[in-house]
Amino acid sequence: MPLNWKTGGVLLGVVFFLAVLLVKPIGVSTQFVILDAIIADIANPALIQATEEGYTSSNAYLAKSDGKYAANAANPLNYSFVFVLAMALGAFLSARLRGGVGAAERTAPALWRANYGDAPLGRYAVAFLGGFVVLYGARLAGGCTSGHMMSGMMQTALSGYVFAAGAFAAAIPTAILMYRKEA
């Protein structure tokens, strides 16, 4: 039961509007940093320290903004981290409620197969590399695709529109280069 793109777009807009109205704009890439910090703090308990003013870290990135990231890693049950966990849980529940992920959804799209064959390892590697590049760039920019583009444009922030233009300016030539053969 795939969702019609128009209905999905309206629902997404409503969710983003409610998030901004009731809590704060949606953004998730920072939560990958928080998850990394939680894991790193387990491996090295001296990474995050409680102070009288809050939290700090021996890692400069976690200590910036008066220890905001260190505090979030020390106390991860906050809105943003729970939101990211809820996204994964929601996707899982959605798949289960509609009867699982069908065989057609588990196979590579025809366009991918026409250009790169059927081997899943290559597809996973490209997906990982693409995700890494986008996440790395997002962290350099101090945000993420959902924070800059979706939430930013919804709030009519100039940076949101600039990011969206840049994302499409990079994505279109990349797609043309990657998918020279048609399905």
Side-chain angles (χ1 to χ4, degrees):
M1 155 189 116
L3 188 62
N4 175 291
W5 70 269
K6 292 176 190 172
T7 305
V10 169
L11 289 173
L12 185 63
V14 168
V15 167
F16 268 78
F17 178 77
L18 289 174
V20 170
L21 181 68
L22 300 174
V23 186
K24 66 179 192 171
I26 291 175
V28 298
S29 70
T30 300
Q31 300 316 306
F32 289 100
V33 173
I34 301 305
L35 179 61
D36 290 345
I38 292 167
I39 294 168
D41 191 49
I42 291 168
N44 175 14
L47 180 68
I48 298 173
Q49 305 92 28
T51 66
E52 289 182 17
E53 295 82 33
Y55 287 90
T56 191
S57 175
S58 55
N59 178 291
Y61 191 81
L62 297 176
K64 76 178 192 172
S65 301
D66 295 323
K68 177 180 161 189
Y69 293 159
N72 285 341
N75 302 298
L77 291 179
N78 58 61
Y79 168 78
S80 297
F81 196 71
V82 171
F83 178 79
V84 172
L85 296 176
M87 285 190 321
L89 179 62
F92 174 76
L93 291 175
S94 174
R96 297 294 296 181
L97 288 172
R98 65 186 185 112
V101 179
E105 291 176 291
R106 285 192 298 258
T107 61
L111 185 57
W112 178 269
R113 286 193 314 269
N115 284 275
Y116 301 104
D118 229 358
L121 186 59
R123 196 164 163 232
Y124 296 149
V126 169
F128 180 82
L129 180 63
F132 178 83
V133 168
V134 169
L135 186 60
Y136 184 78
R139 296 315 307 152
L140 282 178
C144 64
T145 53
S146 56
H148 278 309
M149 189 184 315
M150 299 168 79
S151 292
M153 288 176 66
M154 188 179 76
Q155 298 173 82
T156 65
L158 179 60
S159 62
Y161 292 102
V162 170
F163 179 82
F168 282 100
I172 292 170
T174 300
I176 291 169
L177 287 171
M178 284 190 68
Y179 298 111
R180 293 179 187 263
K181 298 178 190 170
E182 293 186 27

